Amino acid sequence: MSVTQSDSLIGSVLGGRYELIARVNRGGTAVVYRGIDRRLGRTVAVKVIHSDLSGDPDYAKRFDREARAAAILSHPNIVAVFDQGHAEERSYIVMEFIHGQSLRSIISSSAPLPPSLALTYAHEVAKALAAAHDADIIHRDIKPENILITNDGQVKVTDFGLAKNITSQTSTASQGVLMGTMSYIAPEIPQSGSAGKASDIYSMGIVMYEMLTGKKPHVGEDLSQVLYKHVHVDIPPPSQALEGPARTKVPDYVDALVTSCTSRNPDRRPVDGRHLEELIAKARRALDEGRMSDPKLVQEFASAAAPARTTAGAPDHSPHPALEVAEAKENTPVHPVVPVAATKLTTAKPHNPIRPGSIHSPAKTKRKRRPLVALIVALVLVLVVGGLSWWLAIGRWTSVPAVAGLSEQDARTQVAAQSLTLTTLPEYSETVAVGQVIRTDPQQGSRVRKGSTITAYISKGQERYPMPTVVGLSQDDAVAAILNNHLAQGTITQAWSETVPDGQVMSASQNPGASLKPNTPIDLTVSKGREPIPIDSYVGKTQDEATQGLTGAGFQVTTSEDNSASVPQGSVISQDPPSGNGFHGDTITLVISKGPVMVAVPTVWGMSRADATTALTQAGFVVTVKNVNPVGTPVGFAASTDPKAGAMAPQGSTVTLNIV
């Protein structure tokens, strides 16, 4: 279907009920739209088969099978199917709309994932597989694209288009290869054309490997090379694909679990989804307890093919009625089964009539008893068949008791009373007291087989983590300490500090030791070091003006004095440093003018003009000569000076020499 053809469906209403709003995904066989169920007013996902495939009976069967398989499996980890129909000769399925993203997008953006997160996702997928396998349905196409993560972290498995009943697992190899995804296909499928529960386990092992490493274990230039490796090459432990410190973060028992799931021999893998769920739960408990190595778990996972449940709790392999009928229609006619009791009654020969005089003969007595024996046999067979039917339909089933809020011991008692086994996993809760059951999986009231294992999540109380001491650490070290304590990085603000070195944390939004919820954002204030202060020049300004300006900016001021013929007394001759930037508390030195040097005018009366000029010049004055002889040409002797002899005058100032 082209984009134009796809978009042309937007705005249409399928089945008079489902309005298509927007296209959200396009696959090889169908397009998925976001729609509105006009009758119930809820958002739904509507999967519409491509127009060019609608006439292909194989694809039509696959499409119908997806709806049937998912509808049979009502489970919180499986995308719910609400409806199925046909519009304009094209099949469509109406499903639960998932607000979130696929595991593929998470792997692409964030892998390698931390082992704790990878196990959490894998555990939820295993629950979905357990529900499918308990109903004797195999998925056959487990891959990151078919695992969805909602915005609140719930895991949902989708796309049961390749799902088959366990009794119909011998589909052709070519069909499995063409329709499966090569990177996740189990070796037995291309080898024998047979897919079983262990095939789903293999695919899930590949998904776990990819979550832990960010890589697919087998790659090649074409699909045939990838297929060859699945059949002939063992998948290594995921830690070997990592480098440096990342390799040490994958515990040895997680390596063992993944290699067990991806064994090329199906008999060496966990037997089914329920078994895988139990093994992952054990790995999660070990990881929660901080164990990075556990030889006993490694040994257990390495021999994981041993059944994890008792025979009483293991599911039987009787085909699910809905898929049995569907598979029968797809493959061969179903031959009618004639009950044994009916056969007996039908083939019993009629006894001969009793003849007079023969009533006491043994032969006659024997013949007389034949109808009674046949009747008794028939009744016994009816009782046996009826009892067996009751056992298969009702007797072997029970329901999960309501144990939420009970202690673990009380929950075990209640579960045992229903002929079930209890396993536990710790989980934090904001509302349930420590040691009490939060919830069960399957949930209370669910119909399960006697002998099945029920998982109870036991409250560890409120999840709280202490606020680490981060003041004084570098920004990187502080953020690492926050994240390692399951808290989140908040806003980082930078500020000047006269005491905290550049790059160190000055303060945090929470006090050290405070008990905080996980992912609480922690705001940090980080020092930029000492704040630089511009140094203004006060040369030529008065001492008071300079001192007030510099101390007001945060500097210390020291002064000295010196004479200056050019700078008025009390003003700044110079400062050190003269300009640029300084820091709070730095010292600025000012040189304050005392004015010019004052010199006494020497007495030069009676000296010759030349001697008087010399004496005044040597005293530091500039000399000008003035003729004051009243009768004409001066004789050439000094008569007086201006200023007068003995007067104090600035050195370098001008003294007038009066000549007569």
Side-chain angles (χ1 to χ4, degrees), residues 70-85:
I72 289 169
L73 301 173
S74 177
H75 190 274
N77 292 114
I78 296 176
V79 174
V81 170
F82 300 141
D83 198 1
Q84 177 192 20

Side-chain angles (χ1 to χ4, degrees), residues 560-564 567-571 573 591-598:
S560 63
E561 293 183 325
D562 199 1
N563 295 104
S564 174
V567 178
Q569 182 179 359
S571 295
I573 300 173
V591 177
I592 306 301
S593 175
K594 296 190 295 182
V597 177
M598 302 302 289

Side-chain angles (χ1 to χ4, degrees), residues 27 34 115 129 147 174 184 300 313 354 384 391 434 537 567 581 625 638:
R34 176 170 58 86
L129 289 179
I147 299 170
S174 61
Y184 306 90
E300 179 181 353
I354 300 175
V384 170
W391 169 252
V434 176
S537 175
V567 178
N581 290 319
V625 178

Side-chain angles (χ1 to χ4, degrees), residues 38-96:
R38 288 183 169 182
R39 185 179 302 170
L40 299 179
R42 65 181 172 186
T43 300
V44 293
V46 184
K47 189 172 184 179
V48 183
I49 193 170
H50 289 330
S51 59
D52 53 347
L53 298 178
S54 59
D56 188 320
D58 290 335
Y59 283 100
K61 289 176 183 177
R62 175 189 174 187
F63 211 67
D64 292 342
R65 184 166 56 238
E66 175 177 359
R68 290 195 301 272
I72 289 169
L73 301 173
S74 177
H75 190 274
N77 292 114
I78 296 176
V79 174
V81 170
F82 300 141
D83 198 1
Q84 177 192 20
H86 300 271
E88 298 179 359
E89 298 183 353
R90 294 169 63 182
S91 300
Y92 65 86
I93 303 172
V94 182
M95 303 177 292
E96 173 185 7

